[in-house]
Amino acid sequence: MRFSFLAYLSVSLVTAALVDIANNTQAPELVVIEPQINTTKCTWDGVQINDPVSWDPLKEYEYQAPGEDTDEPTHIDNEIRVIVKKMTIKEKIGQMTQIQVGQLVDCNGFLNETAVRYWINEWKVGSFLESPGNHNGRYRWYSPQTFADFTDAVQRIALENGPKIPVIWGLDSVRGANYVKGAVIFPAGIGAAATFDPQFAYDAGRIAAKDTRAAGVHWAFAPISDLGVNKLWSRTYENFGEDPYLSSQMTAASVRGYQGNYKRDRTRVAACIKHFIAYGYPFNGEDRADRHVAPHELLEFYVPPFKAAIDAGVASAMESYGVVNGEPVVMSHYYLQELLREQLGFRGMLVTDWGEINSQATVYRTAKDIRQATWATLGRTSVDMSMVADDASFGQAVLELVSSGALPESRLDESVGRILQLKKDLGLFEQPLADRSLAETVGSAQDIEAARNAVRESVTLLKNENGALPLKDSDKVLFVGPTLNSTRLMGGGWNVHWQGPSDVEGDSVYEGFGDTIVRGVESVTGSTPVYFEGTDIGGTKFIDIDEILEAAALADKIVVGLGENTYAENLGNIGELALPERQLDLVYQIAAATDKPIVAVLVQGRLRGLGKAADIASAVVNAYLPGEYGGLPIAEILYGKVNPSGRLPYTYPATEAQASTTVWQPAYSDYSPQWAFGYGLGYSSIMYSNVTVSSSELAADLPVSVSVMATNAGPYQQKETAMLFTKQYYRFNQAPENLRLRKFAKVDIPIGASIEIVFELAIDDLAYWDRDLEWRFDADEVTILINPYTETDIFAKVKVLAD
């Protein structure tokens, strides 16, 4: 079905049955009217089943690679202004309303067309979100074909009812199209950042966009660029680390991957940078807890990734849950108007997070009621769409506010213009239905290999003593631990479901899409490994401990898989960093029973405390959350088929007190973590030498080139990440940071080869926000360090000249 945009202009916008608001002087009472739509005879027991649709994915396909001039939101077209002018107030409010898909699912788990017509006709709703698999849909994991059947059916109803405007569908495709059956799930953000290669963030975004479009969805709520500070936080794994420069580079690449030339390329989606702002520093580590961030620190550390997304042309943004310095973000004129729109120049569409306007009255106590919260949000900020999610409260409140004169209709026009422009840019007025040909590319061998390559370069070797790694094919290896034989645990949250597959679903939900570390070992070695579960993932009980200790005595080496259960958001809150007790006890008991080398493999979304296991283990491998296809790459690394090259994108705490320790904290604060930001080993010895700078002075018109020689002494070819940090030993009137990452580069160095790595350093790279919110730099000496975690000090110094 093609829906001509020009033809649309001639369509008479349907006026809803409502009182002439412009002439209504008495504000209606705010009463949310719920639909009477549950008329279907309920015969389903509510137990989800696997989607029966199957297909044979293409092995490879061609795609359009965008140039540097990727699309970005610009102005509102005249045609859009004409549409907005013709719309009724209620139709405008409907475009600003987003409802979750569970409101469209009947008691048998299928689409309730009566409910769809209710929301379209009564409330003129212009956007829906989420997967039926998360909201009582019949199937656990919806295939692209079945998902597209659902979204297309909704779209057809929208085109025939209400204002006859196509709906825009949003989905948390945060690491691939993780809610679409068979779509390749990439490493979580923490793993992507560990590659120190933005290309992997781009690849994940591009493939996520394609597979999301295959499901008839046009808008991805990604990338997630909160700066992760408190390591207790349940969303640590979703982000690109703790460093603003690293996060900025990965974020920009991710936006380009999702969007590309999204105004022309219908395999791309609108990206949505989130969560603005400072969401990653919850005071007590719990999700949505209050954040206390000084204004200059906000600009210096937390804003840069969002600025990078805006510069990359991100089409939309999402504000964050909760309050910053006591002020609710969703109602903040400063954060969402002055900072986001005016200072950072964001021109795209802005959506709230789930139910966040209503939460001001029901959770945070920052508004007397929903009406006041709605007035403050629309009256003080530039929010365009409310992810109301579950009811018509937003629409009812805005109707009252406009009719009473408390909110001008022009404020609605502003937001509706941006929303409709985005729909036009995505091609929804021309082709609102799914491109069914994309389904055959979902789960392609090409995409699987892209995900596995990301894992190969993200896995981080943190310790390797006594020749523990790599394993030899001739070694008798015992494999123990719940994370070694589970696809779902490699995926974590935002994986099939919001919270990941349930214990009941286990790995069966994947239907062959994916692998495990145990299966990867079997592929690498050609033999079935000796494996025991050892303990449940919650660490509450031992499983076959006597048999494990007997097998350990016969083994040459023992690989123990440790980690976390699946979780997301507030359901992942924890009170301490330490891994579950029985998991650590498993290591302790094996170590007490044998002196054989122990290799700890960590499959985790956070940097969990290892206790004495960090000292007991001869080798420690951090695999993060590698996704459904992480098993083979991890096995390849364990057996030396791939040389590990990942580096920590976070500081790994040694104690509970270090939960919020970062590499950029003030220099006078102790920085002695378990492992430093940027740390990671390979199987080769890389030596740095001959650091030179093109000039001993750095000025506004005089950038410097910094070069360093990296030599691979063998015995493996090595992909090596060189990181350039700066350090000020003195800064007048403001404490300097411990270290600041300014540049990085990943290079492939053959055995015995030396490669010169060159960085360009400009004075703006050293500027910072001071307490008076002035962007400045100091006329003083700055030390340049290359990979400062290495044993050899590699540094040079430059003098920064004042204007």
Side-chain angles (χ1 to χ4, degrees):
M1 177 186 292
R2 294 191 64 81
F3 194 66
S4 169
F5 178 69
L6 293 177
Y8 175 80
L9 292 176
S10 64
V11 175
S12 175
L13 298 175
V14 177
T15 302
L18 75 138
V19 179
D20 184 354
I21 299 173
N23 297 323
N24 186 359
T25 58
Q26 182 177 0
E29 181 183 357
L30 177 52
V31 177
V32 178
I33 304 171
E34 297 298 341
Q36 302 297 315
I37 53 182
N38 190 17
T39 59
T40 303
K41 183 178 180 180
C42 302
T43 59
W44 182 40
D45 61 5
V47 177
Q48 291 182 316
I49 60 174
N50 289 342
D51 186 337
V53 173
S54 62
W55 70 101
D56 185 16
L58 294 176
K59 288 184 171 54
E60 59 184 26
Y61 58 89
E62 295 183 355
Y63 60 91
Q64 177 183 341
E68 290 299 317
D69 57 337
T70 52
D71 291 333
E72 61 183 39
T74 52
H75 59 277
I76 308 300
D77 294 344
N78 289 332
E79 295 93 337
I80 295 297
R81 297 184 190 278
V82 170
I83 294 176
V84 174
K85 187 176 181 180
K86 289 182 178 181
M87 296 173 73
T88 68
I89 292 174
K90 199 168 184 181
E91 288 169 342
K92 294 174 184 178
I93 295 170
Q95 289 302 303
M96 299 170 65
T97 301
Q98 187 175 55
I99 296 297
Q100 60 98 349
V101 68
Q103 297 293 324
L104 312 181
V105 176
D106 68 20
C107 58
N108 292 314
F110 298 120
L111 178 66
N112 185 336
E113 294 189 2
T114 303
V116 179
R117 290 187 179 90
Y118 166 81
W119 287 109
I120 299 294
N121 285 322
E122 179 63 27
W123 291 105
K124 323 302 178 189
V125 169
S127 181
F128 296 99
L129 79 152
E130 260 279 21
S131 164
N134 283 335
H135 295 275
N136 301 315
R138 177 61 66 106
Y139 306 117
R140 295 164 174 158
W141 203 20
Y142 277 64
S143 67
Q145 297 88 343
T146 306
F147 209 137
D149 288 344
F150 195 104
T151 56
D152 279 358
V154 172
Q155 198 70 272
R156 287 189 175 95
I157 293 172
L159 297 176
E160 297 169 357
N161 291 268
K164 298 183 174 64
I165 296 177
V167 298
I168 183 171
W169 202 289
L171 197 62
D172 283 294
S173 294
V174 296
R175 41 194 297 217
N178 36 275
Y179 288 161
V180 177
K181 175 182 172 180
V184 174
I185 299 175
F186 279 73
I190 188 174
T195 68
F196 277 80
D197 187 344
Q199 182 63 45
F200 291 113
Y202 176 90
D203 292 343
R206 179 189 64 77
I207 293 168
K210 169 183 67 69
D211 294 350
T212 299
R213 274 284 195 166
V217 176
H218 333 95
W219 184 17
F221 299 136
I224 306 163
S225 297
D226 308 301
L227 206 66
V229 176
N230 192 323
K231 312 307 184 297
L232 289 165
W233 189 36
S234 60
R235 308 194 75 164
T236 294
Y237 67 90
E238 299 180 44
N239 309 296
F240 294 128
E242 72 182 32
D243 182 81
Y245 180 75
L246 172 61
S247 182
S248 296
Q249 297 302 303
M250 303 302 286
T251 291
S254 182
V255 169
R256 289 192 289 269
Y258 278 101
Q259 288 190 182
N261 298 313
Y262 73 98
K263 296 181 183 181
R264 293 159 282 172
D265 185 351
R266 300 311 175 208
T267 68
R268 304 298 179 115
V269 297
C272 183
I273 189 72
K274 64 182 188 181
H275 308 82
F276 193 83
I277 185 74
Y279 187 28
Y281 192 14
F283 188 70
N284 64 359
E286 293 186 357
D287 188 41
R288 307 188 195 184
D290 55 315
R291 289 94 77 186
H292 305 279
V293 181
H296 66 289
E297 292 179 338
L298 187 85
L299 297 176
E300 179 69 16
F301 302 114
Y302 298 87
V303 165
F306 292 90
K307 179 65 163 63
I310 293 167
D311 291 345
V314 70
S316 67
M318 183 184 295
E319 58 80 37
S320 71
Y321 287 123
V323 300
V324 177
N325 300 327
E327 181 181 17
V329 174
V330 78
M331 299 195 308
S332 172
H333 179 79
Y334 171 69
Y335 294 128
L336 300 187
Q337 183 60 42
E338 292 183 29
L339 180 56
L340 180 63
R341 295 286 188 186
E342 297 168 18
Q343 295 184 35
L344 299 182
F346 176 63
R347 302 180 69 177
M349 195 263 277
L350 177 61
V351 64
T352 74
D353 211 329
W354 187 288
E356 191 63 358
I357 294 178
N358 290 7
S359 291
Q360 303 312 306
T362 61
V363 177
Y364 306 114
R365 305 183 186 184
T366 55
K368 180 176 64 175
D369 51 30
I370 292 173
R371 182 186 297 110
Q372 187 181 57
T374 304
W375 168 81
T377 298
L378 296 185
R380 302 171 62 185
T381 82
S382 60
V383 164
D384 298 312
M385 182 180 289
S386 175
M387 191 186 291
V388 197
D390 291 314
D391 57 39
S393 57
F394 175 76
Q396 189 75 19
V398 180
L399 272 175
E400 177 180 338
L401 290 168
V402 175
S403 66
S404 66
L407 190 71
E409 185 178 353
S410 59
R411 173 63 183 85
L412 309 186
D413 295 346
E414 172 190 331
S415 287
V416 176
R418 284 193 285 258
I419 293 166
L420 294 186
Q421 185 65 52
L422 180 60
K423 291 184 178 185
K424 179 187 177 185
D425 290 343
L426 289 166
L428 298 186
F429 287 107
E430 296 181 359
Q431 178 50 284
L433 304 183
D435 179 351
R436 296 304 181 114
S437 68
L438 292 176
E440 62 185 3
T441 71
V442 174
S444 72
Q446 177 177 322
D447 293 348
I448 293 171
E449 190 64 13
R452 282 177 168 158
N453 284 336
V455 179
R456 290 175 180 118
E457 296 199 29
S458 70
V459 172
T460 306
L461 180 61
L462 297 174
K463 181 181 179 181
N464 193 20
E465 298 176 351
N466 306 318
L469 290 177
L471 303 173
K472 299 180 181 64
D473 290 346
S474 59
D475 286 337
K476 294 180 180 178
V477 184
L478 171 64
F479 293 88
V480 180
T483 60
L484 298 183
N485 198 34
S486 172
T487 305
R488 77 180 185 100
L489 295 180
M490 290 196 301
W494 307 103
N495 155 39
V496 179
H497 302 306
W498 173 45
Q499 295 292 326
S502 68
D503 293 341
V504 173
E505 289 172 327
D507 284 358
S508 65
V509 71
Y510 295 99
E511 299 183 73
F513 292 103
D515 59 19
T516 66
I517 297 172
V518 167
R519 292 210 299 270
V521 169
E522 187 170 358
S523 295
V524 169
T525 64
S527 60
T528 302
V530 179
Y531 169 74
F532 292 91
E533 187 175 0
T535 177
D536 63 310
I537 189 61
T540 62
K541 62 181 180 179
F542 287 130
I543 301 172
D544 299 327
I545 187 64
D546 293 336
E547 290 87 342
I548 289 170
L549 298 181
E550 290 177 8
L554 301 175
D556 296 321
K557 296 174 182 177
I558 301 99
V559 175
V560 182
L562 307 173
E564 297 185 291
N565 205 343
T566 65
Y567 59 85
E569 298 191 48
N570 57 339
L571 297 185
N573 287 344
I574 55 175
E576 59 181 10
L577 285 173
L579 279 169
E581 181 179 5
R582 283 292 176 266
Q583 287 197 38
L584 296 178
D585 285 346
L586 183 63
V587 177
Y588 302 157
Q589 290 216 25
I590 293 173
T594 179
D595 60 357
K596 307 296 177 57
I598 295 174
V599 177
V601 176
L602 311 177
V603 179
Q604 57 182 6
R606 288 171 279 216
L607 296 310
R608 298 299 296 267
L610 303 180
K612 294 179 290 184
D615 297 322
I616 291 171
S618 297
V620 179
V621 177
N622 195 3
Y624 310 101
L625 293 177
E628 62 189 338
Y629 289 102
L632 178 60
I634 292 169
E636 291 171 337
I637 287 170
L638 292 176
Y639 277 88
K641 311 304 180 185
V642 171
N643 194 350
S645 62
R647 301 293 181 261
L648 281 174
Y650 283 96
T651 296
Y652 205 120
T655 66
E656 297 287 340
Q658 293 178 354
S660 294
T661 294
T662 64
V663 69
W664 44 263
Q665 68 185 24
Y668 67 82
S669 298
D670 177 59
Y671 187 74
S672 54
Q674 187 78 56
W675 292 287
F677 170 88
Y679 184 77
L681 304 170
Y683 293 146
S684 282
S685 175
I686 303 295
M687 297 178 293
Y688 288 92
S689 60
N690 301 331
V691 177
T692 61
V693 292
S694 59
S695 173
S696 61
E697 296 179 336
L698 177 63
D701 59 349
L702 185 65
V704 299
S705 294
V706 181
S707 63
V708 63
M709 193 67 69
T711 300
N712 183 0
Y716 294 86
Q717 183 164 324
Q718 179 77 51
K719 290 184 177 179
E720 174 69 6
T721 299
M723 304 177 206
L724 186 153
F725 292 82
T726 62
K727 187 179 187 73
Q728 282 183 265
Y729 289 92
Y730 164 80
R731 180 189 287 168
F732 179 70
N733 204 38
Q734 187 164 317
E737 300 90 356
N738 170 51
L739 287 170
R740 290 299 301 272
L741 178 67
R742 304 299 188 185
K743 306 286 179 180
F744 62 84
K746 196 164 191 176
V747 295
D748 200 354
I749 312 177
I751 301 170
S754 295
I755 291 181
E756 183 183 35
I757 303 168
V758 180
F759 300 103
E760 296 295 323
L761 194 65
I763 200 165
D764 280 351
D765 294 324
L766 304 180
Y768 63 93
W769 290 97
D770 68 12
R771 181 64 183 82
D772 297 322
L773 303 187
E774 296 290 335
W775 179 243
R776 56 173 286 190
F777 58 87
D778 296 318
D780 211 331
E781 187 174 72
V782 173
T783 300
I784 298 170
L785 305 96
I786 305 295
N787 291 19
Y789 61 79
T790 57
E791 296 180 4
T792 305
D793 290 332
I794 304 296
F795 66 92
K797 295 185 178 182
V798 294
K799 175 72 174 180
V800 177
L801 302 180
D803 289 336

